Structure formats: structure tokens, C-alpha cells
Amino acid sequence: MINADVSGSDWIKPEVFDYLKQQFSEQRFGNPNSNHFIGNRLFQEIEMARGTLCGVLSCDSHQLIFNGGATEGIRNVFYSFFEHHNYQDAVILHSPYEHSATLENIRYCRSKGAECIALAHEQNGLLDMAGLQTALKDCQGKAVLVAVMAAHNETGVIQDYQQIAELCHAYDAEYLCDTTQLIGKQSFDFERSEVDYAVASGHKFGALPGTGFLLVKNSWHFSPLLLGGGQESSLRAGTQNYLGIASMAIALPLAQQQMVNQAEVTAVQRRFEQALKHHFPGTVIIGETAPRVPGLTFCAIGGVSREALQAVLEDARIMVSSGSACSDRKSALSKVATGLGYCDDVAKNTLRFSLGYSGTEAVYASLADTLRRVAPKALVA
């Protein structure tokens, strides 16, 4: 079995399994907020995990809020922003290609009276920075929230999020940067990034699903979505998922270590893409000329339908999606591909091969062997 849908969810790292087996064998379960020996120990482990993650992410402990994942974090940012600003006086500048977790919040805010403006992109997926600056100038005097993800969940295209943050702050705008597809694939320095809000989901980098975190630049100016027992410095109520939190503190440093292989993985990926274009004339690699996270190819393979490819890949036990896992079952056309100016023939046949750092020469070769079944010529990675 090959997981070519790492962007949907990575395999849980073996070290996380080892940790869980130990936890279950010792039956060390309790409430980390209870004032007894088990509770105190679990609370200490949470804070140790926080310290580990803060070290990897270059943030302060008060800036990191554990939660249920990126979708919750994104919702909390919108909630907090409009706790401090009226809908009718606020503007949301956003990429139209954000994850549905962001776009659904934008739709809700529009229904409440907020002005929402979609920002233009180049065909390779990079943001039109001049267009962003013009929009920020036009919105001066209003409360502005900018939402542009760091690495796109379908194309893998990496924005210059630090430049975006600097531009936002030059016009007194706040910047929500969805870093779900970046953290664990590239180093992320929260302090240097200048972004106001960043989010992550543990299952994207080998931790347990259902756990994640939100990074907040100015946590003292942040309104919690969940109220209750005062957990997470009263910024996110509810008993902490201490197993998930510990799994992130195990998995993210391991993911960070894998990044030494980035150049090698990217080189193999590029050779695979060139082979696709050679053996399947008319193949389109979306975002090909832009910086991308390693091991992610979003493409329409020339002359072969998505359904034919998915059937062959499924038979070979290769996990692959047509795009975002959260919308994979919803639409025949990739909204990202059509929005970037590609024709319907491309948009209806997109596939996302996301191997991440498991994209070695051998794995790509295995993927190539499978694709030979629908190709008249041999495909060599």
C-alpha cells in the first residue's frame, strides 16, 4: 500500500504508536486538570509537549493554543476578529482558493454584512501581490482581516507569507495564514513569519487525528470560542486531548528531521513530472513554476480520464485523491483549476499525488509501474 494522499492525512509515525502502547499498557489515564498525582503528571506532560513544539515553531508558550485541529483554529480566529469589530465595518480580503474551513467562515461573515473581497492569483497559483496592496489601500480606515494560506492543499504552491504579513501590517490589517499544509513539510518560524494567526492539524505530520493547535501573535487580545474550565490559559476550554498533544510533540520534531531530504525528494518528484509530460502528451502540472511543498504533484494527465487512473491506482492499493480531501467527493471539477484559468478538460481530470517525504525513488518507481497499465509507453520516475 502506498499513501499518495499525505496531504489528506499522513501515516501515524511508529514512534507515536510506541507512545500509545506504553500509555495503554500502564493505563495512565485521567484528567490533566485534576489535582492528584495522575492529573499533575499528565498536566506536566502537556506543558513539556508545549515546550517541545514551541522550540520547533519558534513561538512563546502563551502563543500556542492546543485544540481539535485547523478547522477549529480557523473558526476561532474569525470569531475573535468579529468579537472586536462590527461586521458592517469590516473587510475580509481572501484568496478564493482557501480551504473550505476558511471559505465557509467567509460566507457566514458575508451573510452578516461583512464585505468580502477575493484576491487575484497568477496562473501558477501565486498571489498577485500588487493586487493585495491595492486592496489594502482601498480598505484603509476599516478593520481588515486577510486570509491567504501558506501552502495550498491541492497545488502545494507556497506563498511568500512573510511578505504578505509585512504588507498587511503596513496597512494595519490582521493576517490569518492557514499553515496546515506547510507545518511538518517545511520549517516554520512563527516569530520571523510576522503572521498574526497560524493553524495546524496533527494528522498532517504523523500525529493523531482530532488534535492540533492555533498560534496567536497577540494572545492577550484574543477571544476564545469555547468557554468553560479555564484550560489553555482560558483561551480554549475543555479537557485537553493529552494523547493527541503528546503525539504532536513526538511527530513534529521527527517531521522536522525529514526535511534534510527535501532537495532529494523534490528532484525525484520533478523527474516524475517530466516523465508524465513525456509519456502522456498534454499533461498539465498545476503550479509547476511556483515554489511547492516537496512530494506534491497536482496534475491532469493528458489523454487519460481521472476515473480510469483512479480505478487502476485503487486496484494497486495506492491512495490518491482528486484534490482536497474535504471536497474530494463533492465536485467533478476542480474549482482551483478552473479559477486559475484552466479549461474544463483539465479541471475534471485533476489528481493530487502527495507523497511528502515518503516520495523516494523507489516509491515513485512503484507509482510509475502502476501508471504503465494505462500508458502505451513505459513511465520511468
Side-chain angles (χ1 to χ4, degrees):
M1 183 184 298
I2 294 176
N3 183 5
D5 190 32
V6 166
S7 294
S9 188
D10 201 354
W11 297 126
I12 293 175
K13 295 197 180 303
E15 293 84 352
V16 172
F17 275 115
D18 292 341
Y19 162 77
L20 292 173
K21 285 188 288 187
Q22 181 181 357
Q23 287 291 112
F24 280 99
S25 66
E26 296 179 2
Q27 297 189 12
R28 248 186 337 108
F29 303 105
N31 192 319
N33 305 289
S34 296
N35 191 22
H36 49 57
F37 67 98
I38 288 290
N40 290 334
R41 182 173 175 181
L42 293 175
F43 182 81
Q44 289 171 4
E45 290 179 1
I46 288 174
E47 294 312 303
M48 288 174 62
R50 193 188 312 276
T52 297
L53 292 169
C54 286
V56 174
L57 299 163
S58 298
C59 65
D60 292 332
S61 60
H62 65 84
Q63 295 176 315
L64 191 152
I65 305 168
F66 290 124
N67 60 19
T71 296
E72 180 188 331
I74 289 167
R75 176 65 194 132
N76 202 161
V77 171
F78 279 91
Y79 174 82
S80 178
F81 184 80
F82 285 103
E83 281 288 284
H84 296 93
H85 306 289
N86 295 322
Y87 285 101
Q88 290 73 19
D89 300 326
V91 180
I92 301 172
L93 303 177
H94 67 95
S95 166
Y97 313 120
E98 293 297 287
H99 189 276
S100 58
T102 299
L103 294 176
E104 287 301 318
N105 276 283
I106 290 169
R107 291 189 186 99
Y108 176 79
C109 294
R110 182 184 290 114
S111 73
K112 293 293 185 178
E115 183 180 5
C116 303
I117 301 172
L119 299 166
H121 287 247
E122 307 294 338
Q123 192 174 36
N124 63 6
L126 289 173
L127 185 70
D128 180 348
M129 297 298 294
L132 171 61
Q133 185 168 16
T134 298
L136 287 167
K137 285 181 179 177
D138 292 343
C139 295
Q140 283 184 290
K142 298 181 179 180
V144 179
L145 178 65
V146 175
V148 179
M149 64 171 61
H152 196 267
N153 52 310
E154 291 189 14
T155 66
V157 169
I158 301 172
Q159 302 292 341
D160 190 340
Y161 51 86
Q162 185 171 353
Q163 184 183 2
I164 294 171
E166 291 171 353
L167 195 55
C168 289
H169 296 158
Y171 292 91
D172 296 322
E174 294 184 52
Y175 179 27
L176 163 60
C177 184
D178 180 351
T179 49
T180 310
Q181 295 291 346
L182 184 80
I183 290 176
K185 299 179 179 70
Q186 288 219 321
S187 294
F188 179 67
D189 187 314
F190 184 61
E191 182 178 6
R192 291 184 61 187
S193 74
E194 297 292 331
V195 306
D196 296 291
Y197 310 103
V199 295
S201 289
H203 69 103
K204 303 295 186 183
F205 51 82
L208 292 175
T211 188
F213 54 81
L214 167 65
L215 297 171
V216 180
K217 186 177 182 180
N218 298 317
S219 57
W220 53 87
H221 188 64
F222 190 71
S223 298
L225 177 64
L226 299 179
L227 301 174
Q231 295 88 350
E232 294 302 292
S233 300
S234 296
L235 292 175
R236 200 273 190 180
T239 301
Q240 298 95 325
N241 178 1
Y242 52 88
L243 294 176
I245 290 168
S247 76
M248 290 192 293
I250 295 169
L252 189 56
L254 292 170
Q256 195 82 0
Q257 293 173 17
Q258 291 181 304
M259 294 175 195
V260 298
N261 300 321
Q262 181 173 335
E264 179 183 347
V265 170
T266 299
V268 177
Q269 171 194 346
R270 296 285 184 171
R271 290 198 297 272
F272 173 75
E273 291 172 354
Q274 291 307 308
L276 280 180
K277 293 170 71 176
H278 176 73
H279 293 287
F280 296 90
T283 291
V284 175
I285 311 294
I286 299 174
E288 183 177 15
T289 63
R292 288 176 288 160
V293 295
L296 195 158
T297 298
F298 187 53
C299 63
I301 295 179
V304 186
S305 72
R306 175 196 294 165
E307 289 75 17
L309 287 165
Q310 285 185 311
V312 170
L313 294 166
E314 187 76 13
D315 287 343
R317 303 279 287 169
I318 296 175
M319 299 161 55
V320 66
S321 70
S322 60
S324 170
C326 295
S327 59
D328 198 30
R329 300 177 187 271
K330 294 181 182 178
S331 176
L333 291 178
S334 164
K335 293 179 181 178
V336 174
T338 55
L340 292 175
Y342 291 95
C343 66
D344 286 356
D345 282 343
V346 169
K348 72 181 180 181
N349 288 311
T350 55
L351 279 177
R352 182 183 67 182
F353 298 99
S354 59
L355 293 161
Y357 287 98
S358 66
T360 62
E361 191 88 40
V363 172
Y364 270 114
S366 180
L367 179 57
D369 287 341
T370 302
L371 291 173
R372 286 195 186 101
R373 302 176 192 174
V374 292
K377 299 180 181 179
L379 178 63
V380 180

